[in-house]
Amino acid sequence: MTRRSRWDLIVVGSGLFGLTVAETMAREHGCRILLLERRAHLGGNAWSEAEPQTGIEIHRYGAHLFHTSNERVWQYVNRFTAFTGYQHRVFTIFKGQAYPMPINLGTICAYFGQYFTPDQARALVARQAGTAAGRAENLEDKAVSLIGRPLYEAFVRGYTAKQWQTDPRELSPDIITRLPVRYTFDNRYFTDTYEGLPVGGYAAWLTRMAASELIEVRLQTDFFDVRADLPADVPVVYTGPLDKYFQYSEGPLSWRTLDFEPQVLACGDFQGTPVMNYADEDVPWTRIHEFKHFHPERDYPADSTVIVREYSRTATPGDEPYYPVNAAADRHRLLKYRSLAAAEHNVHFGGRLGTYKYLDMHMAIASALSMVDNTLVPRLAAR
């Protein structure tokens, strides 16, 4: 490979997509990487850190739970960290009562106050859904068709209204299409082959990914501030906002953002579980995280705990984007941005922000490995 610069590849953004690209290209192909990150730390939204008063590891940008059924991804992440045996389970409070989520046979029995066999529960939900499946023109109709009106009113309507700040009847049915309903007592949130949390925390895992001497990391560096000074002949993997790259020429893409309210409490256990959802619409937060429960194997203080209330709202300029809204206007703009992106010969767009797709961690890693195999290696080999 003929070197035209001190770098073979520039990666913009050090989330799991960008880190995977940088680490793999350096380790497997000997490429020299410039990794640019506008924040003061690596890892994007997966970053974690110790709360200074208690030492409890908190996830700065909301709970991150690793899970995958992709064997290649699992083998890849185990290069950098071992994982605990943690299995994620969520509960939701509705009218002062806690129920297991996602909706399963235990939820149905508890809500209706009696035991149902799986077949009885299916028949009950089918009766309550009625003919909704034939007229699913919005989220509410679709949800009712899947779980019936009573369960929808209890566990979906209020929570969704808070999450999207929009009446569910105004939201696309696609948002709720994969709503899980289980007619067993299995209350695991995920059903992937592999699941766990990094033994040493996310910060240690993510830092190891960028440890190669072939990777030059520049934190607190905004790509758009240094763009003019970068060599034009070096390929770029861009994982920032797609619309920002093109100076919002087709209009801004809309996102949901999250606000977090941490609190240290002088008690050993606040809620008895890592995540508690709040389905009542008059409760302003969507859920509360209690991070000590993510690592019961650790020796955390017995007389204190850290909770973080999470709130959802529409992202405004300057906010951190989390979930793509993907309304009709967004989809129209996205097609135009994708055409512009395809015309950028030396820039490759990836990650959650760069593709305007919500990607779980394992999905971001898989997508990055695919870009390395199918795009970057062939392109760099041809230089």
Side-chain angles (χ1 to χ4, degrees):
M1 180 184 297
T2 301
R3 299 196 186 280
R4 305 178 185 178
S5 162
R6 57 187 291 194
W7 306 296
D8 300 306
L9 182 67
I10 297 170
V11 178
V12 180
S14 69
L16 276 167
F17 187 99
L19 276 176
T20 300
V21 167
E23 190 281 331
T24 306
M25 291 300 292
R27 175 175 49 83
E28 292 189 354
H29 305 284
C31 292
R32 297 183 180 184
I33 312 294
L34 174 62
L35 181 60
L36 304 177
E37 172 54 57
R38 64 178 177 82
R39 289 172 170 169
H41 60 76
L42 292 167
N45 289 353
W47 186 255
S48 65
E49 57 199 357
E51 192 281 321
Q53 183 175 336
T54 63
I56 295 171
E57 180 190 358
I58 62 171
H59 302 175
R60 186 188 292 188
Y61 307 97
H64 280 66
L65 300 315
F66 191 81
H67 56 98
T68 186
S69 293
N70 186 316
E71 188 68 34
R72 185 185 184 191
V73 168
W74 181 244
Q75 294 301 322
Y76 179 76
V77 298
N78 274 271
R79 300 181 69 93
F80 313 103
T81 181
F83 287 84
T84 69
Y86 176 83
Q87 290 187 334
H88 194 45
R89 287 176 167 83
V90 174
F91 294 84
T92 189
I93 290 178
F94 176 68
K95 295 190 182 303
Q97 178 65 45
Y99 300 89
M101 294 296 288
I103 293 171
N104 59 72
L105 193 56
T107 316
I108 296 170
C109 292
Y111 181 74
F112 292 105
Q114 68 180 88
Y115 169 71
F116 294 94
T117 67
D119 286 345
Q120 288 171 337
R122 287 190 182 91
L124 173 69
V125 168
R127 289 196 302 272
Q128 293 173 344
T131 60
R135 53 179 179 83
E137 298 177 356
N138 54 58
L139 185 149
E140 179 172 299
D141 291 344
K142 186 64 177 179
V144 171
S145 76
L146 294 170
I147 60 175
R149 175 67 62 178
L151 294 173
Y152 164 77
E153 294 288 343
F155 302 117
V156 176
R157 186 180 63 79
Y159 189 87
T160 301
K162 290 190 295 183
Q163 193 174 42
W164 293 91
Q165 293 183 321
T166 302
D167 188 311
R169 289 170 293 187
E170 302 299 322
L171 294 171
S172 168
D174 296 340
I175 296 173
I176 206 75
T177 297
R178 296 184 180 180
L179 176 68
V181 184
R182 299 181 189 147
Y183 295 99
T184 70
F185 287 100
D186 181 2
N187 69 337
R188 293 175 303 158
Y189 200 79
F190 306 114
T191 58
D192 289 287
T193 305
Y194 304 108
E195 179 180 0
L197 292 170
V199 169
Y202 281 99
W205 167 13
L206 301 166
T207 300
R208 290 188 192 105
M209 291 183 71
S212 170
E213 62 182 12
L214 294 175
I215 301 176
E216 177 182 343
V217 178
R218 294 185 186 178
L219 300 176
Q220 295 181 291
T221 302
D222 192 312
F223 167 70
F224 297 100
D225 292 339
V226 301
R227 184 179 186 179
D229 301 323
L230 298 174
D233 63 326
V234 177
V236 172
V237 172
Y238 175 83
T239 69
L242 180 61
D243 51 0
K244 184 176 182 180
Y245 182 90
F246 295 105
Q247 301 179 307
Y248 306 101
S249 60
E250 303 301 332
L253 296 169
S254 52
W255 292 81
R256 302 293 299 163
T257 193
L258 300 175
D259 295 319
F260 303 100
E261 181 183 86
Q263 187 177 8
V264 178
L265 301 176
C267 68
D269 193 345
F270 173 75
Q271 63 187 17
T273 192
V275 180
M276 183 71 75
N277 290 353
Y278 285 79
D280 296 290
E281 199 167 351
D282 59 352
V283 177
W285 51 84
T286 55
R287 51 189 172 181
I288 295 179
H289 308 277
E290 188 171 10
F291 284 100
K292 72 187 310 181
H293 291 298
F294 285 130
H295 288 280
E297 77 282 0
R298 294 181 181 175
D299 187 22
Y300 283 145
D303 59 353
S304 60
T305 191
V306 181
I307 65 170
V308 178
R309 291 180 175 87
E310 181 178 309
Y311 303 79
S312 177
R313 60 180 174 83
T314 300
T316 58
D319 286 328
E320 188 64 41
Y322 281 83
Y323 304 101
V325 174
N326 204 25
D330 295 310
R331 292 192 291 272
H332 179 71
R333 294 186 183 112
L334 183 59
L335 290 175
K336 294 183 178 181
Y337 281 126
R338 284 177 175 170
S339 295
L340 292 173
E344 292 284 304
H345 175 69
N346 219 30
V347 181
H348 310 284
F349 297 83
R352 176 176 54 93
L353 302 179
T355 60
Y356 195 65
K357 293 179 180 178
Y358 182 75
L359 300 175
D360 282 335
M361 290 184 285
H362 66 289
M363 297 167 66
I365 294 169
S367 180
L369 293 172
S370 178
M371 177 181 282
V372 167
D373 292 344
N374 301 320
T375 303
L376 297 179
V377 171
R379 286 290 299 272
L380 288 173
R383 293 180 67 204

